[in-house]
Amino acid sequence: MNYTICPKCGKDTKRLIDSLCQECFFESSDLVKVPQVLHAQVCSNCGAHFNRGRWTNDYDIDEIVIRTVEDELLIHEKAEDIELYIEPRQMTPHLYRVRVEVDATIIGERLHQQVETEVRIGRMACDMCSRISGGYFESILQIRATNRRLNDEEKKECMAIVNSILKRMRKKGDRMAFISNSIDDREGIDLYMGSANASRDICKEVVSELGGTFSESPNLFTRKDGKDVYRITFALRLPEFMPGDIIEFGENVIEVRKFGKNVTGTNLISGSKYLSKPDEIQDAKLVGRREDAVRTVVVATEDDELMVLDPENYETVTIKKPLLFSAEAGDEVPAIKTSNGIVVLTEDSPDTD
Ligand SMILES: [Zn+2]
Ligand SMILES: [Zn+2]
């Protein structure tokens, strides 16, 4: 094997790295260099990370430590095929010891070096958490129902939409996608929102999923740097009727399946499917819900007629037999009394596609 002489120390060496033997190379330059102490700023509340001048949603503290080290790592400029291994160890919540191992090739020679550093974690409140705790808001989102109270199920559904939209916006880096205060009372929910755009997106999503309407009205709040600053109130109204409501208007009795941009359901008198627009049935009244139906006995069935017992006075009444009505004499069926007479419901609620 051929040996060369290191020009610095004069020893024989198999190969020269950057014109030096391996020992002299490591004496004069490092494969990897990292400061002894590094600092990372983390939000004590939500775990966001202050990185390169802005807060980002990196919630995993090990990831934050690794990134802090990576950002400060200096690897020899001639290194190729670099393999990097960074292992953080938590000593205290405020201190991490980090071992860094690097394997790389410099001028044909595979080298390995290990260094250690520590990352000190500074905890403070991030921009978002400071705004939340200061009660900052840009818009108020009022969630209500039309001509009735918002029920608990609807509150839950709306809040699920609210939270998923805020989560999605925060993931994209929107630091204003937060709720700084909320009021939940008998009428509905008021949310004090950091972002008006978030409120608008939520309104659109709720209307598309649950129906209803929304409007926005800006109020001049203050002037800042010569510009008008508005706070926008979003009035979100869920529809008056819900799936499962039995409503009546004119000579129609409808079990509502969906009350959104379109109204769909079953016409309980004819048994046929029902489809219209909400403004076509503005004078509709709520008769009850499927749960309010009482079971009554089918006395007899004819081709197009049905005789049932009036659930209140047990008199036999004859009604039109709805399409697809399959019960026979002696069976019990759910029925509900309306000003259009008694209507019978099919055993299963209409499918909810
Ligand atoms: Zn040497
Ligand atoms: Zn925070």
Side-chain angles (χ1 to χ4, degrees):
M1 191 175 272
N2 285 333
Y3 284 84
T4 343
I5 290 170
C6 169
K8 193 170 176 209
C9 66
K11 280 185 202 155
D12 284 341
T13 181
K14 275 184 270 179
R15 281 196 79 117
L16 292 176
I17 309 156
D18 215 4
S19 310
L20 297 168
C21 72
Q22 185 163 331
E23 255 169 58
C24 292
F25 170 80
F26 275 130
E27 253 171 41
S28 62
S29 54
D30 287 293
L31 177 56
V32 58
K33 255 198 267 189
V34 65
Q36 295 278 298
V37 178
L38 297 171
H39 297 274
Q41 299 296 336
V42 173
C43 175
S44 48
N45 183 52
C46 72
H49 176 210
F50 193 69
N51 187 30
R52 298 168 202 256
R54 62 191 207 95
W55 288 96
T56 51
N57 300 321
D58 304 319
Y59 297 127
D60 186 87
I61 187 75
D62 280 355
E63 290 281 313
I64 291 171
V65 170
I66 289 171
R67 182 172 308 171
T68 304
V69 173
E70 273 176 350
D71 284 353
E72 294 297 325
L73 217 52
L74 279 174
I75 293 181
H76 195 283
E77 56 176 18
K78 286 184 178 149
E80 291 171 327
D81 300 327
I82 301 159
E83 280 174 51
L84 192 59
Y85 174 77
I86 300 176
E87 184 192 57
R89 261 173 308 142
Q90 190 190 47
M91 311 308 284
T92 73
H94 300 276
L95 180 66
Y96 279 73
R97 294 285 318 163
V98 185
R99 187 161 61 92
V100 181
E101 286 190 48
V102 180
D103 289 282
T105 304
I106 294 183
I107 316 164
E109 193 75 6
R110 196 71 185 156
L111 299 174
H112 173 90
Q113 196 178 8
Q114 177 177 322
V115 289
E116 289 230 344
T117 182
E118 69 179 47
V119 176
R120 295 179 188 168
I121 311 290
R123 301 210 182 243
M124 56 199 290
C126 73
D127 52 354
M128 186 174 81
C129 293
S130 317
R131 286 196 179 105
I132 294 172
S133 66
Y136 176 90
F137 65 96
E138 199 178 282
S139 73
I140 303 172
L141 174 54
Q142 294 177 329
I143 310 174
R144 302 280 185 277
T146 309
N147 297 333
R148 62 180 176 86
R149 284 176 187 158
L150 200 64
N151 68 38
D152 289 346
E153 188 57 35
E154 290 171 316
K155 284 183 182 176
K156 228 194 282 170
E157 284 181 74
C158 287
M159 287 313 294
I161 293 171
V162 168
N163 289 324
S164 89
I165 286 182
L166 292 182
K167 197 172 160 193
R168 194 169 71 208
M169 293 180 82
R170 279 201 296 270
K171 222 174 191 172
K172 283 189 191 155
D174 190 333
R175 309 282 304 159
M176 303 304 282
F178 61 77
I179 302 170
S180 60
N181 192 20
S182 67
I183 299 166
D184 180 350
D185 68 14
R186 298 191 326 169
E187 296 305 317
I189 304 174
D190 285 355
L191 300 173
Y192 290 74
M193 309 286 295
S195 151
N197 287 334
S199 298
R200 193 173 295 112
D201 285 359
I202 290 163
C203 287
K204 285 179 186 163
E205 187 63 28
V206 169
V207 167
S208 110
E209 283 191 28
L210 305 176
T213 56
F214 77 95
S215 62
E216 46 184 288
S217 44
N219 304 302
L220 187 61
F221 165 54
T222 183
R223 279 180 74 84
K224 196 177 170 186
D225 308 327
K227 268 187 174 167
D228 291 340
V229 178
Y230 288 90
R231 274 176 173 172
I232 305 176
T233 300
F234 288 84
L236 175 60
R237 296 285 176 270
L238 291 196
E240 183 165 7
F241 302 112
M242 294 176 278
D245 277 350
I246 295 162
I247 59 172
E248 189 172 24
F249 51 95
E251 290 177 359
N252 299 286
V253 180
I254 308 294
E255 180 175 359
V256 174
R257 178 166 59 180
K258 209 166 176 189
F259 203 105
K261 271 189 221 113
N262 291 315
V263 180
T264 60
T266 307
N267 183 322
L268 295 178
I269 294 173
S270 66
S272 56
K273 290 205 182 306
Y274 181 79
L275 171 68
S276 73
K277 301 275 177 201
D279 51 6
E280 289 172 44
I281 53 172
Q282 273 172 355
D283 55 349
K285 296 267 177 300
L286 182 69
V287 178
R289 292 184 51 78
R290 173 168 273 271
E291 307 84 274
D292 303 326
V294 287
R295 298 190 76 78
T296 192
V297 176
V298 177
V299 178
T301 65
E302 299 277 324
D303 293 343
D304 297 324
E305 288 182 339
L306 192 62
M307 273 174 270
V308 294
L309 288 186
D310 183 320
E312 280 172 15
N313 57 23
Y314 302 109
E315 278 171 18
T316 302
V317 285
T318 302
I319 61 172
K320 214 155 103 183
K321 185 166 142 187
L323 283 169
L324 305 173
F325 184 84
S326 59
E328 289 171 14
D331 289 347
E332 279 194 342
V333 291
I336 199 158
K337 220 171 170 174
T338 74
S339 48
N340 279 297
I342 290 172
V343 294
V344 292
L345 282 70
T346 49
E347 277 300 331
D348 305 308
S349 42
D351 42 330
T352 47
D353 57 300

